[in-house]
Amino acid sequence: QGWWLFDLWGCRNVYKFTKLLATETQGTAEQQQAQADQITKQIQNLGGIYLKSTQRLITHKEPLAGAVRKSLGQTLDSNKAQSLKTVKAHFLDNLGALGSARLNWDSMVVLGVGSVAQVIRVDVDVGDGKETQVFKMTFPDDLEQFKTHFAQLESCTNFVERQDPGAGELLRQVLTRKEKIYEEFDLAKEATNTEMARSAVQRCAQRFSGNGTDVLEYPGGQVRIRVPRVWTISKHLLRQELATGQSFRKPADDMGFAATGAWSVVKHVLRSAATTASPASRTKALRDMLPYATPPVAQLFGSLLSIGAYVNAVVPVLGCLMLEEEIGHGDPHPANMLHDLSTGDLWLLDWGTVIRLGERASAVRSIISIASIATYRRDKNGTIAAPVMKLGDEAARRFHVALPFMPWLGLLGGQALQRGPIWTSLSDFACRGRHR
């Protein structure tokens, strides 16, 4: 009923997208999951920006129902790969006939398929032998589809908002990310971002090591935070250093947080480890996780080592990047991290989007400080004190006029930093007391 009106304005898909997100599943757990899977399938069929923006919403409590969030979380690792024919044509366009002929297509393995890019591993003829190389590619046709979808959103948002103000607000949030998403298609820009990040990550690791190296100690051993080297071939193709190890998505799955992202794992760890970051407290954090992990012992051991390395190395380094280097990883979810237990290397991948703080750096420091205050300045019902929320909203608006304080609290774990009667400071934990 009423769909003809949206068809008349050419806004049917846009309005359908907002209604799918707002759908509440009902019935038994099995029935709700079946409904959620059907909703996810319809969003996947819409494709492009509709699928990408929805996948980015899975770490938010609103507007997604729990069953829908779980179903969408599973699509993060199941984006459809481009056909071999399409990949070959892409290499021919970007490498030319001579360069493309050096690739052994029978050896090709798809390493990952995101909503924007695809990563493959393939053997390449080099001199008298072969070398395994990794390539990342984006496709111009996909970019055109995203542009079409954004044009639909821009032309329909006002109309949809008159019918459903909540849906209009959601669409406006998606539209604020347009330029950032377009940047993800530009792999030449990603190469520049990656080289900048490599230097910054190394400097941050050296600050924490205490001995001038980039090797960090944690209860499970040593870890080295690495960013792969990259070589630009074209705007839509780059070669990347081979990074080995297991995706952090597996430890996240083992911890039962597969659908909510790496930060949810950090939230749980913060309940146990918190500010001191001493070896004893970190060891206790690992022990405290044991009841929450159910796989076989060998898998459990590897997952706990990865989580320990993440908490004691990745979290401080990411915090240091924002507070010291004034840049941030634009998409730090589990699939963008690999941990090689045999070498101790923990790789941070996919620097297509980098947050450059610049003049907003002071706003970020204020937000982190106020998020820490929010953990203990609460009323009798446990609600964050109104003056604290006001300060947080003011700081958040300094960072971005359309971004309130509450999403920052969700990102920074402001709801999960209580340990018994003691409230902990995220800023202390993130940079080990450098920014108290």
Side-chain angles (χ1 to χ4, degrees):
Q1 184 179 359
W3 282 102
W4 65 270
L5 186 61
F6 294 95
D7 284 334
L8 182 66
W9 283 80
C11 299
R12 183 182 181 92
N13 282 349
V14 176
Y15 190 61
K16 179 180 181 180
F17 169 64
T18 63
K19 300 304 288 185
L20 287 170
L21 292 183
T23 301
E24 288 288 343
T25 54
Q26 299 177 341
T28 65
E30 291 78 8
Q31 290 171 333
Q32 290 191 45
Q33 192 57 55
Q35 295 165 33
D37 290 344
Q38 184 60 35
I39 291 170
T40 296
K41 184 176 180 180
Q42 292 183 64
I43 293 175
Q44 284 181 302
N45 289 338
L46 291 174
I49 188 56
Y50 299 110
L51 178 59
K52 180 174 181 62
S53 59
T54 307
Q55 288 179 333
R56 297 187 74 91
L57 287 172
I58 65 173
T59 58
H60 296 255
K61 292 183 179 179
E62 301 292 345
L64 301 176
V68 177
R69 185 183 297 109
K70 178 181 178 182
S71 181
L72 282 165
Q74 295 168 351
T75 70
L76 286 171
D77 291 329
S78 60
N79 290 301
K80 185 178 180 181
Q82 296 282 359
S83 68
L84 178 59
K85 179 180 179 181
T86 300
V87 172
K88 283 184 175 181
H90 190 72
F91 271 82
L92 186 63
D93 290 341
N94 289 274
L95 279 178
L98 185 61
S100 183
R102 295 170 52 217
L103 278 68
N104 180 0
W105 294 109
D106 291 337
S107 69
M108 188 187 85
V109 175
V110 176
L111 298 180
V113 184
S115 51
V116 167
Q118 179 168 319
V119 181
I120 66 167
R121 185 183 70 213
V122 64
D123 291 339
V124 180
D125 291 330
V126 179
D128 296 331
K130 294 185 182 296
E131 179 179 287
T132 300
Q133 296 183 359
V134 175
F135 295 92
K136 184 172 185 177
M137 64 198 87
T138 58
F139 298 89
D141 287 348
D142 289 347
L143 176 58
E144 291 306 311
Q145 182 189 45
F146 272 69
K147 288 181 177 179
T148 299
H149 288 172
F150 271 120
Q152 292 172 354
L153 294 179
E154 289 171 331
S155 64
C156 294
T157 293
N158 288 337
F159 176 70
V160 171
E161 192 169 39
R162 287 197 292 271
Q163 317 303 317
D164 185 341
E169 176 60 27
L170 172 65
L171 296 179
R172 293 190 188 283
Q173 291 181 25
V174 174
L175 285 171
T176 62
R177 291 200 50 80
K178 181 176 73 170
E179 295 305 320
K180 287 293 184 183
I181 289 173
Y182 286 166
E183 284 181 11
E184 293 183 38
F185 282 92
D186 187 347
L187 297 183
K189 190 161 190 175
E190 176 169 338
T192 301
N193 291 343
T194 303
E195 287 305 307
M196 176 180 65
R198 284 185 70 238
S199 301
V201 165
Q202 187 174 41
R203 287 193 295 271
C204 282
Q206 289 172 346
R207 287 188 181 104
F208 292 128
S209 69
N211 57 17
T213 71
D214 58 357
V215 177
L216 304 178
E217 303 282 346
Y218 75 107
Q222 296 181 330
V223 61
R224 182 185 178 199
I225 307 298
R226 301 190 63 185
V227 174
R229 292 174 295 166
V230 293
W231 298 268
T232 304
I233 297 173
S234 73
K235 184 176 180 179
H236 293 291
L237 183 66
L238 64 76
R239 185 163 74 87
Q240 178 178 296
E241 180 181 5
L242 179 62
T244 59
Q246 70 170 6
S247 165
F248 195 79
R249 179 161 292 281
K250 183 186 179 303
D253 289 346
D254 292 345
M255 290 297 294
F257 295 114
T260 52
W263 275 106
S264 294
V265 177
V266 178
K267 288 180 186 179
H268 183 76
V269 174
L270 286 171
R271 293 192 186 107
S272 301
T275 57
T276 61
S278 67
S281 68
R282 297 197 297 269
T283 300
K284 183 180 185 304
L286 294 178
R287 285 201 301 268
D288 288 348
M289 288 181 205
L290 286 170
Y292 298 89
T294 57
V297 174
Q299 294 181 15
L300 170 63
F301 181 71
S303 293
L304 288 179
L305 287 178
S306 289
I307 291 169
Y310 180 82
V311 171
N312 291 280
V314 176
V315 172
V317 166
L318 291 179
C320 171
L321 286 178
M322 296 189 75
L323 295 172
E324 297 273 9
E325 301 288 339
E326 299 186 358
I327 64 171
H329 193 301
D331 195 15
H333 63 75
N336 281 339
M337 303 175 195
L338 298 178
H339 188 202
D340 190 330
L341 294 170
S342 64
T343 64
D345 290 337
L346 203 158
W347 298 86
L348 300 180
L349 309 175
D350 193 1
W351 294 86
T353 301
V354 169
I355 302 169
R356 290 175 174 82
L357 300 181
E359 295 179 354
R360 298 182 295 174
S362 63
V364 173
R365 295 186 179 99
S366 296
I367 290 167
I368 293 176
S369 176
I370 297 168
S372 297
I373 295 171
T375 61
Y376 58 85
R377 288 284 301 279
R378 298 176 181 243
D379 61 24
K380 294 180 180 179
N381 298 322
T383 304
I384 298 172
V388 176
M389 285 299 299
K390 182 179 179 181
L391 285 173
D393 282 331
E394 290 173 355
R397 281 195 295 271
R398 281 166 47 209
F399 181 85
H400 192 289
V401 67
L403 186 63
F405 183 47
M406 190 57 73
W408 282 95
L409 280 177
L411 173 67
L412 297 173
Q415 306 296 323
L417 297 179
Q418 187 178 21
R419 184 187 177 197
I422 302 172
W423 290 94
T424 64
S425 163
L426 180 69
S427 59
D428 287 349
F429 178 82
C431 279
R432 298 192 187 179
R434 292 179 58 84
H435 297 277
R436 293 183 184 274

